[in-house]
Amino acid sequence: MNNLIITDSPELLEDQALIKIDSKKCKSLREFYETLAQELKFPDYFGYNLDSFDELMNDLSWIEDERILLYFYNSELFLRNERNEKKLTTLLDQLDATCEDWKYYREDEVEVEEGEEPIPKKELIVAFSTSERISEILDM
C-alpha cells in the first residue's frame, strides 16, 4: 500500500486541503462510511457500501480543492471493531488504488457524454497518525 502514509505532521505536506478525521468515529465500517460521507460531503445517493464509496472517491467533482489529504488521527482505533479482517484490507487496498488512479488521471482521456464536463483532476493522499496497529495493518 504505497499510497497510504503514516505521519504525525500532516500539516507539513504541502498545499493540501487537510481533512482531519477522528478514527474514534470510524471504529466500524458503517461508522467509517457515515463519517466520510459527512466529512467529504458525499452526494445524497451514497449507498454506504464499498462500491458506492469507490465510485465517489473516484469522482470528488463536488470538492473544489485539487489536492486533498485525508488524515486519520487516533489511528489505533481505525476500524477497531471490524471483525472481518478481509473487509479492512479490502477497504485499504481500495483507498490505495484510488490514490494511485488519481495520479494518472487525465481529463483529456476521459469519455464524457455530450454537454457534460469531465471530472476535474484531483490529488488524493490518505494518511494515518502513528500507531503500532496501523503500522502492522499497512505492512500486511
Side-chain angles (χ1 to χ4, degrees), residues 38 43 51 95 97:
Q38 180 181 359
D51 289 337
L95 283 170

Side-chain angles (χ1 to χ4, degrees), residues 1-4 32-33 36 40 42 50 53-54 57-58 70 72 78-79 88-102 124-128 138:
M1 293 185 221
N2 299 327
N3 296 296
L4 308 181
F32 171 83
Y33 290 139
L36 268 284
L40 295 176
F42 282 173
L50 188 61
F53 179 72
D54 180 45
M57 292 302 291
N58 282 289
L70 293 180
F72 294 90
F78 184 78
L79 295 181
L88 173 59
T89 55
T90 299
L91 174 69
L92 292 173
D93 285 342
Q94 187 62 53
L95 283 170
D96 183 56
T98 300
C99 293
E100 188 73 13
D101 289 347
W102 277 117
L124 178 65
I125 297 173
V126 178
F128 297 88
L138 293 182

